[in-house]
Amino acid sequence: MTNKKQAAPAPTGRVANPFLNAEFYSRMRDYTERDAGFSKEIKAIGESGAGKQSTDARHAPSLALLRAVVKKGLTLEEMMNRIVKGVESGLWEPWLTAFGIELRGVNYAKTGERNARLAIDMSMSSKAHTIFSAAGVGNWRSLVAEDCAQVQIDKPTEKTPAKVTAIFFLDAAA
């Protein structure tokens, strides 16, 4: 994954997300408070929508950093491969939770595709934020939104902060 990705022209009917440009993101962060910067990026993601560039979480370039991280004794990549193989199904949800990923639906049958839907938290307090931030990828939410199949944004209320989720799929190879 390259952090110098320039905002490509949006396909017809899709608004371009300026936060895909790492330099633009960095300039914005220099002059904008954290909460306001988050809100601006989420607004741009909401207007642009999911890019659907690489909807399988095992192959999405924006998730390369996450796939390499070890939690619970395994990399996320190995966890995903085990899900696809259909082994150790009782461990799938706790494994993913360590990354802030929710298993929203999956085929637990011993054979066939998993047809799993993974919801990756992109909220302000996301577990993934620390990993991307340490690697210097500030605009990770916009990059993830370009790859994912769907973006869900739940507006904040008096009692709950904004919830932003990227939906990816995880299926056995065809």
Side-chain angles (χ1 to χ4, degrees), residues 148-170:
C148 74
Q150 182 181 0
V151 174
Q152 296 175 342
I153 301 173
D154 298 331
K155 299 204 186 285
T157 65
E158 287 182 22
K159 297 181 181 182
T160 61
K163 175 111 172 127
V164 184
T165 309
I167 306 296
F168 282 88
F169 300 111
L170 190 61

Side-chain angles (χ1 to χ4, degrees), residues 72-106:
K72 306 233 180 219
L74 296 170
T75 63
L76 179 59
E77 183 170 26
E78 182 57 30
M79 292 176 193
M80 290 180 186
N81 289 334
R82 289 183 183 194
I83 291 170
V84 169
K85 289 176 187 173
V87 296
E88 303 164 311
S89 59
L91 298 174
W92 297 348
E93 291 188 56
W95 280 344
L96 296 172
T97 301
F99 290 90
I101 300 173
E102 179 185 347
L103 189 60
R104 291 241 173 124
V106 66

Side-chain angles (χ1 to χ4, degrees), residues 78-151:
E78 182 57 30
M79 292 176 193
M80 290 180 186
N81 289 334
R82 289 183 183 194
I83 291 170
V84 169
K85 289 176 187 173
V87 296
E88 303 164 311
S89 59
L91 298 174
W92 297 348
E93 291 188 56
W95 280 344
L96 296 172
T97 301
F99 290 90
I101 300 173
E102 179 185 347
L103 189 60
R104 291 241 173 124
V106 66
N107 174 10
Y108 285 100
K110 297 289 183 198
T111 59
E113 292 184 350
R114 295 297 133 226
N115 296 318
R117 282 187 338 236
L118 304 178
I120 299 175
D121 181 17
M122 296 193 309
S123 300
M124 191 97 131
S125 60
S126 168
K127 291 179 182 180
H129 178 73
T130 305
I131 296 164
F132 285 106
S133 181
V137 185
N139 63 338
W140 70 272
R141 291 176 181 92
S142 291
L143 297 172
V144 168
E146 272 302 290
D147 285 341
C148 74
Q150 182 181 0
V151 174

Side-chain angles (χ1 to χ4, degrees), residues 2-7 19-22 53 139 143 146-147:
T2 176
N3 193 24
K4 297 192 190 240
K5 186 173 183 179
Q6 297 292 317
F19 291 91
L20 288 171
N21 181 314
Q53 301 283 329
N139 63 338
L143 297 172
E146 272 302 290
D147 285 341

